[in-house]
Amino acid sequence: MDVNAAVAAAAAIAGLCTGVIAVLAFRWSEREQKRPTRTSLHTDAVLPPGVDTVLSVLRSSAVVLDESDSVVKASSAAYALGLVRGGKLAVEPMLHMARDTRRDGEIRQVELDLPRRGTGRGEALAVSARVAPLGSRLVLLLVEDLTEARRIEAVRRDFVANVSHELKTPVGALSLLSEAVMDASDDPEAVTRFAGRMQIEATRLTNLVQELIDLSRVQNDDPLEDSEPVRVDELVAEAIDRSRHAASTKQITMVAGGTSQPDDSELRIWGSRGQLAAALGNLVENAVNYSPAHTRVGISARRVTAPGGDLIEIAVTDQGIGISEKDRERIFERFYRVDPARSRATGGTGLGLAIVKHVAASHGGEVTVWSSEGQGSTFTLRVPEAGAARDRSHNGPDRADEDDDRPYDTDPNSEIPAPEVLP
């Protein structure tokens, strides 16, 4: 009896010890699972509360680094710029900045030029990087893409430099001519000659200032504010009348056609009459100025079906000297001239085609050019028709007839529908 009691007591003690050991093992396992590991330190959980939300709404590219320079958090923009690769910061100068900031707690900022990913042309990506401590162990890197801002600033500098140069030329000429007139006060013939030159320079200065005003207006004005249905035949007639004297002097024949359709319907454009007249007038004036004597300039219009609605195409074709391929890429830039000497001789300012481009864009359209050296050029203004333009946004129409490398009626000797020969 005593033996059985002893055995039972020993079994009870053994069971109790086993239960205690099992409970201790379970609690130890739970504690180990809750303890942060080296891997878990690199997850979003180590970020201070609210930081993740703030980083998600920032426009800048954001990267958070831990004490081992591993990436704890990175925005999608940071990956797109190529800042983060394989969980590491890939830009060495930024990595050095992060280490220095982690060491002394100082905020640092620098501007860098980085190579673009996926391009072999050596184009640089301009960025501004700012590093600041985030808590006791983390470092925050904010990167702003400055590429577009720098491009706009370069365009603005070039524009100011070009305007300054273009204004100084006629102003300097007027100053010198006025001195020459004063010195030749006793020579009526010289005074008359210098006064004529002063008139030319004054006209050139007036034209330049007026085109600068026109360019500023078409860039800032909304054509829908004073829009109306504008008849294409009236625009063509006005453009021809504007260049009639210059064409007559060079014995250039201007031919217009296509402004009325086979069904006798009139072509109309919805937009600002003044801007559209200025744009087409610039195209016709350029065609006359760059055409040799005894040639022909054609102005054609037609309706083109496009997915977003019908378009009106107005093509201006000349038999001039043509435009080289490298110049065709830049002719719509402000103050760019294919032949500067010829432009100045004809009174050109280099702003006419830039105005045409902005007018076309503001009306939801575009302007294109086809040219062959020695054969002539065709500039095509393509804008929405009056009926379809009301429903269009200003993002620009879908391109029509993209398969046509050469616009219609580009041969000045071809027949234009319903031609009207104007002297």
Side-chain angles (χ1 to χ4, degrees), residues 214-215 218 242 275-284 286 314 316 331-332 351-363 365-368 379-383:
D214 292 341
L215 180 60
V218 299
R242 170 175 165 177
Q275 291 188 17
L276 292 169
L280 185 57
N282 285 342
L283 292 180
V284 175
N286 280 353
I314 306 175
V316 179
I331 55 174
F332 294 105
L351 293 174
L353 291 179
I355 293 174
V356 175
K357 177 183 176 180
H358 283 287
V359 170
S362 65
H363 284 75
E366 63 176 353
V367 59
T368 58
F379 286 84
T380 303
L381 180 63
R382 186 180 291 117
V383 291

PDB file of all heavy atoms in Angstrom, residues 214-215 218 242 275-284 286 314 316 331-332 351-363 365-368 379-383:
ATOM      1  N   ASP A 214       1.988  89.995 -80.132  1.00  0.00           N
ATOM      2  CA  ASP A 214       1.095  88.949 -80.645  1.00  0.00           C
ATOM      3  C   ASP A 214       1.435  87.590 -80.043  1.00  0.00           C
ATOM      4  O   ASP A 214       0.531  86.826 -79.672  1.00  0.00           O
ATOM      5  CB  ASP A 214       1.203  88.877 -82.174  1.00  0.00           C
ATOM      6  CG  ASP A 214       0.634  90.114 -82.855  1.00  0.00           C
ATOM      7  OD1 ASP A 214      -0.149  90.837 -82.203  1.00  0.00           O
ATOM      8  OD2 ASP A 214       0.976  90.351 -84.035  1.00  0.00           O
ATOM      9  N   LEU A 215       2.731  87.287 -79.945  1.00  0.00           N
ATOM     10  CA  LEU A 215       3.138  86.009 -79.378  1.00  0.00           C
ATOM     11  C   LEU A 215       2.724  85.904 -77.919  1.00  0.00           C
ATOM     12  O   LEU A 215       2.221  84.870 -77.473  1.00  0.00           O
ATOM     13  CB  LEU A 215       4.654  85.832 -79.512  1.00  0.00           C
ATOM     14  CG  LEU A 215       5.244  84.537 -78.954  1.00  0.00           C
ATOM     15  CD1 LEU A 215       4.645  83.326 -79.655  1.00  0.00           C
ATOM     16  CD2 LEU A 215       6.763  84.531 -79.082  1.00  0.00           C
ATOM     17  N   VAL A 218      -1.161  85.297 -77.795  1.00  0.00           N
ATOM     18  CA  VAL A 218      -1.653  83.959 -78.136  1.00  0.00           C
ATOM     19  C   VAL A 218      -1.228  82.925 -77.088  1.00  0.00           C
ATOM     20  O   VAL A 218      -1.883  81.891 -76.930  1.00  0.00           O
ATOM     21  CB  VAL A 218      -1.171  83.517 -79.532  1.00  0.00           C
ATOM     22  CG1 VAL A 218      -1.684  84.460 -80.596  1.00  0.00           C
ATOM     23  CG2 VAL A 218       0.345  83.384 -79.599  1.00  0.00           C
ATOM     24  N   ARG A 242      -3.116  90.479 -97.527  1.00  0.00           N
ATOM     25  CA  ARG A 242      -1.993  90.954 -96.707  1.00  0.00           C
ATOM     26  C   ARG A 242      -0.674  90.877 -97.470  1.00  0.00           C
ATOM     27  O   ARG A 242       0.209  91.730 -97.284  1.00  0.00           O
ATOM     28  CB  ARG A 242      -1.927  90.114 -95.428  1.00  0.00           C
ATOM     29  CG  ARG A 242      -0.699  90.314 -94.577  1.00  0.00           C
ATOM     30  CD  ARG A 242      -0.833  89.520 -93.294  1.00  0.00           C
ATOM     31  NE  ARG A 242       0.427  89.384 -92.591  1.00  0.00           N
ATOM     32  CZ  ARG A 242       0.574  88.787 -91.416  1.00  0.00           C
ATOM     33  NH1 ARG A 242      -0.484  88.276 -90.811  1.00  0.00           N
ATOM     34  NH2 ARG A 242       1.757  88.698 -90.855  1.00  0.00           N
ATOM     35  N   GLN A 275      -6.690  85.628 -84.183  1.00  0.00           N
ATOM     36  CA  GLN A 275      -5.547  84.722 -84.088  1.00  0.00           C
ATOM     37  C   GLN A 275      -5.420  83.838 -85.323  1.00  0.00           C
ATOM     38  O   GLN A 275      -4.320  83.615 -85.834  1.00  0.00           O
ATOM     39  CB  GLN A 275      -5.676  83.859 -82.834  1.00  0.00           C
ATOM     40  CG  GLN A 275      -5.511  84.620 -81.523  1.00  0.00           C
ATOM     41  CD  GLN A 275      -5.443  83.693 -80.330  1.00  0.00           C
ATOM     42  OE1 GLN A 275      -5.215  82.502 -80.465  1.00  0.00           O
ATOM     43  NE2 GLN A 275      -5.657  84.238 -79.151  1.00  0.00           N
ATOM     44  N   LEU A 276      -6.534  83.320 -85.797  1.00  0.00           N
ATOM     45  CA  LEU A 276      -6.497  82.465 -86.981  1.00  0.00           C
ATOM     46  C   LEU A 276      -6.034  83.238 -88.212  1.00  0.00           C
ATOM     47  O   LEU A 276      -5.262  82.730 -89.031  1.00  0.00           O
ATOM     48  CB  LEU A 276      -7.872  81.860 -87.231  1.00  0.00           C
ATOM     49  CG  LEU A 276      -8.346  80.841 -86.188  1.00  0.00           C
ATOM     50  CD1 LEU A 276      -9.825  80.523 -86.388  1.00  0.00           C
ATOM     51  CD2 LEU A 276      -7.516  79.565 -86.269  1.00  0.00           C
ATOM     52  N   ALA A 277      -6.496  84.496 -88.349  1.00  0.00           N
ATOM     53  CA  ALA A 277      -6.071  85.327 -89.485  1.00  0.00           C
ATOM     54  C   ALA A 277      -4.575  85.624 -89.413  1.00  0.00           C
ATOM     55  O   ALA A 277      -3.878  85.605 -90.433  1.00  0.00           O
ATOM     56  CB  ALA A 277      -6.877  86.621 -89.512  1.00  0.00           C
ATOM     57  N   ALA A 278      -4.075  85.881 -88.198  1.00  0.00           N
ATOM     58  CA  ALA A 278      -2.645  86.147 -88.042  1.00  0.00           C
ATOM     59  C   ALA A 278      -1.815  84.917 -88.397  1.00  0.00           C
ATOM     60  O   ALA A 278      -0.769  85.027 -89.063  1.00  0.00           O
ATOM     61  CB  ALA A 278      -2.352  86.591 -86.610  1.00  0.00           C
ATOM     62  N   ALA A 279      -2.273  83.728 -87.976  1.00  0.00           N
ATOM     63  CA  ALA A 279      -1.523  82.505 -88.244  1.00  0.00           C
ATOM     64  C   ALA A 279      -1.458  82.208 -89.740  1.00  0.00           C
ATOM     65  O   ALA A 279      -0.373  81.977 -90.298  1.00  0.00           O
ATOM     66  CB  ALA A 279      -2.155  81.332 -87.501  1.00  0.00           C
ATOM     67  N   LEU A 280      -2.612  82.239 -90.410  1.00  0.00           N
ATOM     68  CA  LEU A 280      -2.618  81.957 -91.845  1.00  0.00           C
ATOM     69  C   LEU A 280      -1.886  83.053 -92.610  1.00  0.00           C
ATOM     70  O   LEU A 280      -1.180  82.778 -93.593  1.00  0.00           O
ATOM     71  CB  LEU A 280      -4.058  81.822 -92.337  1.00  0.00           C
ATOM     72  CG  LEU A 280      -4.226  81.409 -93.808  1.00  0.00           C
ATOM     73  CD1 LEU A 280      -3.516  80.096 -94.090  1.00  0.00           C
ATOM     74  CD2 LEU A 280      -5.701  81.314 -94.169  1.00  0.00           C
ATOM     75  N   GLY A 281      -2.037  84.296 -92.177  1.00  0.00           N
ATOM     76  CA  GLY A 281      -1.328  85.400 -92.822  1.00  0.00           C
ATOM     77  C   GLY A 281       0.176  85.226 -92.755  1.00  0.00           C
ATOM     78  O   GLY A 281       0.894  85.514 -93.728  1.00  0.00           O
ATOM     79  N   ASN A 282       0.688  84.726 -91.595  1.00  0.00           N
ATOM     80  CA  ASN A 282       2.123  84.486 -91.473  1.00  0.00           C
ATOM     81  C   ASN A 282       2.600  83.397 -92.424  1.00  0.00           C
ATOM     82  O   ASN A 282       3.689  83.497 -93.010  1.00  0.00           O
ATOM     83  CB  ASN A 282       2.460  84.099 -90.028  1.00  0.00           C
ATOM     84  CG  ASN A 282       2.433  85.270 -89.082  1.00  0.00           C
ATOM     85  OD1 ASN A 282       2.490  86.424 -89.507  1.00  0.00           O
ATOM     86  ND2 ASN A 282       2.323  84.997 -87.798  1.00  0.00           N
ATOM     87  N   LEU A 283       1.803  82.359 -92.603  1.00  0.00           N
ATOM     88  CA  LEU A 283       2.191  81.277 -93.504  1.00  0.00           C
ATOM     89  C   LEU A 283       2.256  81.758 -94.952  1.00  0.00           C
ATOM     90  O   LEU A 283       3.199  81.442 -95.686  1.00  0.00           O
ATOM     91  CB  LEU A 283       1.206  80.115 -93.387  1.00  0.00           C
ATOM     92  CG  LEU A 283       1.214  79.334 -92.066  1.00  0.00           C
ATOM     93  CD1 LEU A 283       0.172  78.221 -92.104  1.00  0.00           C
ATOM     94  CD2 LEU A 283       2.592  78.759 -91.774  1.00  0.00           C
ATOM     95  N   VAL A 284       1.245  82.528 -95.366  1.00  0.00           N
ATOM     96  CA  VAL A 284       1.228  83.033 -96.747  1.00  0.00           C
ATOM     97  C   VAL A 284       2.357  84.037 -96.951  1.00  0.00           C
ATOM     98  O   VAL A 284       3.030  84.040 -97.998  1.00  0.00           O
ATOM     99  CB  VAL A 284      -0.140  83.662 -97.073  1.00  0.00           C
ATOM    100  CG1 VAL A 284      -0.124  84.298 -98.463  1.00  0.00           C
ATOM    101  CG2 VAL A 284      -1.243  82.602 -96.994  1.00  0.00           C
ATOM    102  N   ASN A 286       5.265  84.173 -95.415  1.00  0.00           N
ATOM    103  CA  ASN A 286       6.521  83.438 -95.527  1.00  0.00           C
ATOM    104  C   ASN A 286       6.670  82.785 -96.896  1.00  0.00           C
ATOM    105  O   ASN A 286       7.759  82.768 -97.486  1.00  0.00           O
ATOM    106  CB  ASN A 286       6.601  82.362 -94.443  1.00  0.00           C
ATOM    107  CG  ASN A 286       7.023  82.912 -93.093  1.00  0.00           C
ATOM    108  OD1 ASN A 286       7.390  84.077 -92.986  1.00  0.00           O
ATOM    109  ND2 ASN A 286       6.949  82.084 -92.075  1.00  0.00           N
ATOM    110  N   ILE A 314      -5.751  73.617 -93.867  1.00  0.00           N
ATOM    111  CA  ILE A 314      -5.409  74.696 -94.795  1.00  0.00           C
ATOM    112  C   ILE A 314      -3.922  74.556 -95.098  1.00  0.00           C
ATOM    113  O   ILE A 314      -3.087  74.659 -94.202  1.00  0.00           O
ATOM    114  CB  ILE A 314      -5.708  76.078 -94.202  1.00  0.00           C
ATOM    115  CG1 ILE A 314      -7.160  76.166 -93.730  1.00  0.00           C
ATOM    116  CG2 ILE A 314      -5.416  77.171 -95.221  1.00  0.00           C
ATOM    117  CD1 ILE A 314      -7.498  77.464 -93.022  1.00  0.00           C
ATOM    118  N   VAL A 316      -0.549  75.740 -97.304  1.00  0.00           N
ATOM    119  CA  VAL A 316       0.088  76.826 -98.050  1.00  0.00           C
ATOM    120  C   VAL A 316       1.339  76.256 -98.707  1.00  0.00           C
ATOM    121  O   VAL A 316       2.273  75.824 -98.024  1.00  0.00           O
ATOM    122  CB  VAL A 316       0.445  78.009 -97.133  1.00  0.00           C
ATOM    123  CG1 VAL A 316       1.129  79.116 -97.938  1.00  0.00           C
ATOM    124  CG2 VAL A 316      -0.802  78.536 -96.435  1.00  0.00           C
ATOM    125  N   ILE A 331      12.253  75.040 -87.050  1.00  0.00           N
ATOM    126  CA  ILE A 331      11.694  76.256 -87.648  1.00  0.00           C
ATOM    127  C   ILE A 331      10.565  76.864 -86.831  1.00  0.00           C
ATOM    128  O   ILE A 331      10.249  78.040 -87.001  1.00  0.00           O
ATOM    129  CB  ILE A 331      11.202  75.995 -89.085  1.00  0.00           C
ATOM    130  CG1 ILE A 331      10.209  74.841 -89.103  1.00  0.00           C
ATOM    131  CG2 ILE A 331      12.348  75.758 -90.022  1.00  0.00           C
ATOM    132  CD1 ILE A 331       9.584  74.622 -90.452  1.00  0.00           C
ATOM    133  N   PHE A 332       9.940  76.090 -85.927  1.00  0.00           N
ATOM    134  CA  PHE A 332       8.867  76.651 -85.114  1.00  0.00           C
ATOM    135  C   PHE A 332       9.376  77.234 -83.800  1.00  0.00           C
ATOM    136  O   PHE A 332       8.584  77.667 -82.973  1.00  0.00           O
ATOM    137  CB  PHE A 332       7.801  75.582 -84.840  1.00  0.00           C
ATOM    138  CG  PHE A 332       7.069  75.136 -86.080  1.00  0.00           C
ATOM    139  CD1 PHE A 332       7.348  73.914 -86.662  1.00  0.00           C
ATOM    140  CD2 PHE A 332       6.124  75.957 -86.676  1.00  0.00           C
ATOM    141  CE1 PHE A 332       6.683  73.497 -87.804  1.00  0.00           C
ATOM    142  CE2 PHE A 332       5.458  75.554 -87.831  1.00  0.00           C
ATOM    143  CZ  PHE A 332       5.734  74.328 -88.391  1.00  0.00           C
ATOM    144  N   LEU A 351       9.637  85.167 -85.543  1.00  0.00           N
ATOM    145  CA  LEU A 351       8.554  84.852 -84.615  1.00  0.00           C
ATOM    146  C   LEU A 351       7.287  84.360 -85.307  1.00  0.00           C
ATOM    147  O   LEU A 351       6.365  83.872 -84.652  1.00  0.00           O
ATOM    148  CB  LEU A 351       8.207  86.083 -83.768  1.00  0.00           C
ATOM    149  CG  LEU A 351       9.269  86.551 -82.770  1.00  0.00           C
ATOM    150  CD1 LEU A 351       8.844  87.855 -82.118  1.00  0.00           C
ATOM    151  CD2 LEU A 351       9.511  85.488 -81.714  1.00  0.00           C
ATOM    152  N   GLY A 352       7.220  84.513 -86.627  1.00  0.00           N
ATOM    153  CA  GLY A 352       5.983  84.204 -87.346  1.00  0.00           C
ATOM    154  C   GLY A 352       5.527  82.769 -87.167  1.00  0.00           C
ATOM    155  O   GLY A 352       4.358  82.507 -86.839  1.00  0.00           O
ATOM    156  N   LEU A 353       6.423  81.804 -87.366  1.00  0.00           N
ATOM    157  CA  LEU A 353       6.034  80.406 -87.252  1.00  0.00           C
ATOM    158  C   LEU A 353       5.787  80.004 -85.804  1.00  0.00           C
ATOM    159  O   LEU A 353       4.974  79.107 -85.532  1.00  0.00           O
ATOM    160  CB  LEU A 353       7.105  79.506 -87.865  1.00  0.00           C
ATOM    161  CG  LEU A 353       7.237  79.594 -89.390  1.00  0.00           C
ATOM    162  CD1 LEU A 353       8.349  78.674 -89.886  1.00  0.00           C
ATOM    163  CD2 LEU A 353       5.918  79.238 -90.067  1.00  0.00           C
ATOM    164  N   ALA A 354       6.464  80.650 -84.848  1.00  0.00           N
ATOM    165  CA  ALA A 354       6.181  80.381 -83.438  1.00  0.00           C
ATOM    166  C   ALA A 354       4.755  80.805 -83.093  1.00  0.00           C
ATOM    167  O   ALA A 354       4.049  80.121 -82.342  1.00  0.00           O
ATOM    168  CB  ALA A 354       7.186  81.114 -82.545  1.00  0.00           C
ATOM    169  N   ILE A 355       4.314  81.924 -83.661  1.00  0.00           N
ATOM    170  CA  ILE A 355       2.935  82.375 -83.453  1.00  0.00           C
ATOM    171  C   ILE A 355       1.958  81.382 -84.056  1.00  0.00           C
ATOM    172  O   ILE A 355       0.929  81.034 -83.449  1.00  0.00           O
ATOM    173  CB  ILE A 355       2.744  83.780 -84.047  1.00  0.00           C
ATOM    174  CG1 ILE A 355       3.555  84.806 -83.253  1.00  0.00           C
ATOM    175  CG2 ILE A 355       1.266  84.172 -84.084  1.00  0.00           C
ATOM    176  CD1 ILE A 355       3.541  86.202 -83.843  1.00  0.00           C
ATOM    177  N   VAL A 356       2.256  80.886 -85.265  1.00  0.00           N
ATOM    178  CA  VAL A 356       1.384  79.904 -85.918  1.00  0.00           C
ATOM    179  C   VAL A 356       1.259  78.654 -85.043  1.00  0.00           C
ATOM    180  O   VAL A 356       0.155  78.116 -84.847  1.00  0.00           O
ATOM    181  CB  VAL A 356       1.932  79.527 -87.305  1.00  0.00           C
ATOM    182  CG1 VAL A 356       1.084  78.424 -87.927  1.00  0.00           C
ATOM    183  CG2 VAL A 356       1.957  80.740 -88.218  1.00  0.00           C
ATOM    184  N   LYS A 357       2.371  78.193 -84.500  1.00  0.00           N
ATOM    185  CA  LYS A 357       2.356  76.997 -83.667  1.00  0.00           C
ATOM    186  C   LYS A 357       1.472  77.179 -82.441  1.00  0.00           C
ATOM    187  O   LYS A 357       0.664  76.300 -82.088  1.00  0.00           O
ATOM    188  CB  LYS A 357       3.791  76.659 -83.243  1.00  0.00           C
ATOM    189  CG  LYS A 357       3.879  75.470 -82.306  1.00  0.00           C
ATOM    190  CD  LYS A 357       5.320  75.248 -81.867  1.00  0.00           C
ATOM    191  CE  LYS A 357       5.411  74.109 -80.849  1.00  0.00           C
ATOM    192  NZ  LYS A 357       6.810  73.892 -80.407  1.00  0.00           N
ATOM    193  N   HIS A 358       1.592  78.324 -81.765  1.00  0.00           N
ATOM    194  CA  HIS A 358       0.805  78.566 -80.553  1.00  0.00           C
ATOM    195  C   HIS A 358      -0.672  78.749 -80.874  1.00  0.00           C
ATOM    196  O   HIS A 358      -1.534  78.309 -80.108  1.00  0.00           O
ATOM    197  CB  HIS A 358       1.343  79.782 -79.810  1.00  0.00           C
ATOM    198  CG  HIS A 358       2.599  79.507 -79.039  1.00  0.00           C
ATOM    199  ND1 HIS A 358       2.604  78.765 -77.876  1.00  0.00           N
ATOM    200  CD2 HIS A 358       3.884  79.859 -79.260  1.00  0.00           C
ATOM    201  CE1 HIS A 358       3.836  78.672 -77.411  1.00  0.00           C
ATOM    202  NE2 HIS A 358       4.637  79.325 -78.227  1.00  0.00           N
ATOM    203  N   VAL A 359      -0.976  79.396 -81.985  1.00  0.00           N
ATOM    204  CA  VAL A 359      -2.380  79.555 -82.374  1.00  0.00           C
ATOM    205  C   VAL A 359      -3.003  78.190 -82.654  1.00  0.00           C
ATOM    206  O   VAL A 359      -4.125  77.892 -82.206  1.00  0.00           O
ATOM    207  CB  VAL A 359      -2.504  80.477 -83.609  1.00  0.00           C
ATOM    208  CG1 VAL A 359      -3.920  80.435 -84.163  1.00  0.00           C
ATOM    209  CG2 VAL A 359      -2.131  81.911 -83.240  1.00  0.00           C
ATOM    210  N   ALA A 360      -2.297  77.345 -83.390  1.00  0.00           N
ATOM    211  CA  ALA A 360      -2.816  76.009 -83.688  1.00  0.00           C
ATOM    212  C   ALA A 360      -3.049  75.214 -82.410  1.00  0.00           C
ATOM    213  O   ALA A 360      -4.096  74.572 -82.243  1.00  0.00           O
ATOM    214  CB  ALA A 360      -1.854  75.269 -84.614  1.00  0.00           C
ATOM    215  N   ALA A 361      -2.090  75.252 -81.484  1.00  0.00           N
ATOM    216  CA  ALA A 361      -2.223  74.496 -80.238  1.00  0.00           C
ATOM    217  C   ALA A 361      -3.372  75.012 -79.388  1.00  0.00           C
ATOM    218  O   ALA A 361      -4.121  74.231 -78.801  1.00  0.00           O
ATOM    219  CB  ALA A 361      -0.908  74.556 -79.458  1.00  0.00           C
ATOM    220  N   SER A 362      -3.524  76.341 -79.310  1.00  0.00           N
ATOM    221  CA  SER A 362      -4.590  76.904 -78.480  1.00  0.00           C
ATOM    222  C   SER A 362      -5.972  76.621 -79.045  1.00  0.00           C
ATOM    223  O   SER A 362      -6.966  76.671 -78.322  1.00  0.00           O
ATOM    224  CB  SER A 362      -4.387  78.417 -78.327  1.00  0.00           C
ATOM    225  OG  SER A 362      -4.530  79.080 -79.577  1.00  0.00           O
ATOM    226  N   HIS A 363      -6.050  76.303 -80.339  1.00  0.00           N
ATOM    227  CA  HIS A 363      -7.329  75.948 -80.966  1.00  0.00           C
ATOM    228  C   HIS A 363      -7.524  74.435 -81.048  1.00  0.00           C
ATOM    229  O   HIS A 363      -8.422  73.955 -81.741  1.00  0.00           O
ATOM    230  CB  HIS A 363      -7.423  76.557 -82.370  1.00  0.00           C
ATOM    231  CG  HIS A 363      -7.720  78.022 -82.371  1.00  0.00           C
ATOM    232  ND1 HIS A 363      -6.775  78.968 -82.050  1.00  0.00           N
ATOM    233  CD2 HIS A 363      -8.868  78.709 -82.617  1.00  0.00           C
ATOM    234  CE1 HIS A 363      -7.311  80.178 -82.124  1.00  0.00           C
ATOM    235  NE2 HIS A 363      -8.576  80.040 -82.451  1.00  0.00           N
ATOM    236  N   GLY A 365      -5.393  72.239 -82.346  1.00  0.00           N
ATOM    237  CA  GLY A 365      -4.895  71.711 -83.611  1.00  0.00           C
ATOM    238  C   GLY A 365      -3.392  71.636 -83.646  1.00  0.00           C
ATOM    239  O   GLY A 365      -2.726  71.585 -82.620  1.00  0.00           O
ATOM    240  N   GLU A 366      -2.839  71.667 -84.848  1.00  0.00           N
ATOM    241  CA  GLU A 366      -1.400  71.565 -85.022  1.00  0.00           C
ATOM    242  C   GLU A 366      -1.007  72.165 -86.364  1.00  0.00           C
ATOM    243  O   GLU A 366      -1.858  72.414 -87.229  1.00  0.00           O
ATOM    244  CB  GLU A 366      -0.958  70.102 -84.980  1.00  0.00           C
ATOM    245  CG  GLU A 366      -1.542  69.271 -86.116  1.00  0.00           C
ATOM    246  CD  GLU A 366      -1.025  67.848 -86.132  1.00  0.00           C
ATOM    247  OE1 GLU A 366      -0.119  67.539 -85.340  1.00  0.00           O
ATOM    248  OE2 GLU A 366      -1.521  67.058 -86.960  1.00  0.00           O
ATOM    249  N   VAL A 367       0.279  72.417 -86.523  1.00  0.00           N
ATOM    250  CA  VAL A 367       0.818  72.860 -87.803  1.00  0.00           C
ATOM    251  C   VAL A 367       1.980  71.947 -88.149  1.00  0.00           C
ATOM    252  O   VAL A 367       2.816  71.628 -87.294  1.00  0.00           O
ATOM    253  CB  VAL A 367       1.264  74.339 -87.754  1.00  0.00           C
ATOM    254  CG1 VAL A 367       2.319  74.571 -86.688  1.00  0.00           C
ATOM    255  CG2 VAL A 367       1.757  74.801 -89.122  1.00  0.00           C
ATOM    256  N   THR A 368       2.024  71.478 -89.386  1.00  0.00           N
ATOM    257  CA  THR A 368       3.079  70.572 -89.832  1.00  0.00           C
ATOM    258  C   THR A 368       3.722  71.141 -91.098  1.00  0.00           C
ATOM    259  O   THR A 368       3.170  72.042 -91.748  1.00  0.00           O
ATOM    260  CB  THR A 368       2.523  69.171 -90.124  1.00  0.00           C
ATOM    261  OG1 THR A 368       1.489  69.266 -91.117  1.00  0.00           O
ATOM    262  CG2 THR A 368       1.943  68.541 -88.867  1.00  0.00           C
ATOM    263  N   PHE A 379       3.199  74.100 -95.750  1.00  0.00           N
ATOM    264  CA  PHE A 379       2.828  74.206 -94.344  1.00  0.00           C
ATOM    265  C   PHE A 379       1.326  73.939 -94.235  1.00  0.00           C
ATOM    266  O   PHE A 379       0.527  74.559 -94.949  1.00  0.00           O
ATOM    267  CB  PHE A 379       3.159  75.590 -93.791  1.00  0.00           C
ATOM    268  CG  PHE A 379       4.624  75.813 -93.563  1.00  0.00           C
ATOM    269  CD1 PHE A 379       5.451  76.216 -94.610  1.00  0.00           C
ATOM    270  CD2 PHE A 379       5.193  75.613 -92.313  1.00  0.00           C
ATOM    271  CE1 PHE A 379       6.805  76.416 -94.418  1.00  0.00           C
ATOM    272  CE2 PHE A 379       6.551  75.808 -92.113  1.00  0.00           C
ATOM    273  CZ  PHE A 379       7.348  76.221 -93.158  1.00  0.00           C
ATOM    274  N   THR A 380       0.945  73.026 -93.358  1.00  0.00           N
ATOM    275  CA  THR A 380      -0.451  72.635 -93.212  1.00  0.00           C
ATOM    276  C   THR A 380      -0.940  72.986 -91.817  1.00  0.00           C
ATOM    277  O   THR A 380      -0.408  72.466 -90.818  1.00  0.00           O
ATOM    278  CB  THR A 380      -0.636  71.127 -93.461  1.00  0.00           C
ATOM    279  OG1 THR A 380      -0.148  70.801 -94.762  1.00  0.00           O
ATOM    280  CG2 THR A 380      -2.105  70.750 -93.370  1.00  0.00           C
ATOM    281  N   LEU A 381      -1.936  73.851 -91.762  1.00  0.00           N
ATOM    282  CA  LEU A 381      -2.582  74.216 -90.505  1.00  0.00           C
ATOM    283  C   LEU A 381      -3.816  73.340 -90.349  1.00  0.00           C
ATOM    284  O   LEU A 381      -4.719  73.373 -91.194  1.00  0.00           O
ATOM    285  CB  LEU A 381      -2.963  75.698 -90.521  1.00  0.00           C
ATOM    286  CG  LEU A 381      -3.649  76.259 -89.270  1.00  0.00           C
ATOM    287  CD1 LEU A 381      -2.721  76.179 -88.070  1.00  0.00           C
ATOM    288  CD2 LEU A 381      -4.082  77.711 -89.522  1.00  0.00           C
ATOM    289  N   ARG A 382      -3.864  72.554 -89.308  1.00  0.00           N
ATOM    290  CA  ARG A 382      -4.954  71.591 -89.102  1.00  0.00           C
ATOM    291  C   ARG A 382      -5.656  71.911 -87.783  1.00  0.00           C
ATOM    292  O   ARG A 382      -5.079  71.767 -86.708  1.00  0.00           O
ATOM    293  CB  ARG A 382      -4.381  70.172 -89.087  1.00  0.00           C
ATOM    294  CG  ARG A 382      -5.412  69.065 -89.025  1.00  0.00           C
ATOM    295  CD  ARG A 382      -4.750  67.697 -89.020  1.00  0.00           C
ATOM    296  NE  ARG A 382      -4.128  67.373 -90.293  1.00  0.00           N
ATOM    297  CZ  ARG A 382      -2.829  67.172 -90.467  1.00  0.00           C
ATOM    298  NH1 ARG A 382      -2.013  67.285 -89.456  1.00  0.00           N
ATOM    299  NH2 ARG A 382      -2.339  66.874 -91.654  1.00  0.00           N
ATOM    300  N   VAL A 383      -6.936  72.343 -87.855  1.00  0.00           N
ATOM    301  CA  VAL A 383      -7.702  72.725 -86.664  1.00  0.00           C
ATOM    302  C   VAL A 383      -9.104  72.129 -86.752  1.00  0.00           C
ATOM    303  O   VAL A 383      -9.592  71.819 -87.848  1.00  0.00           O
ATOM    304  CB  VAL A 383      -7.792  74.268 -86.518  1.00  0.00           C
ATOM    305  CG1 VAL A 383      -6.445  74.858 -86.166  1.00  0.00           C
ATOM    306  CG2 VAL A 383      -8.316  74.894 -87.801  1.00  0.00           C
TER     307      VAL A 383
END
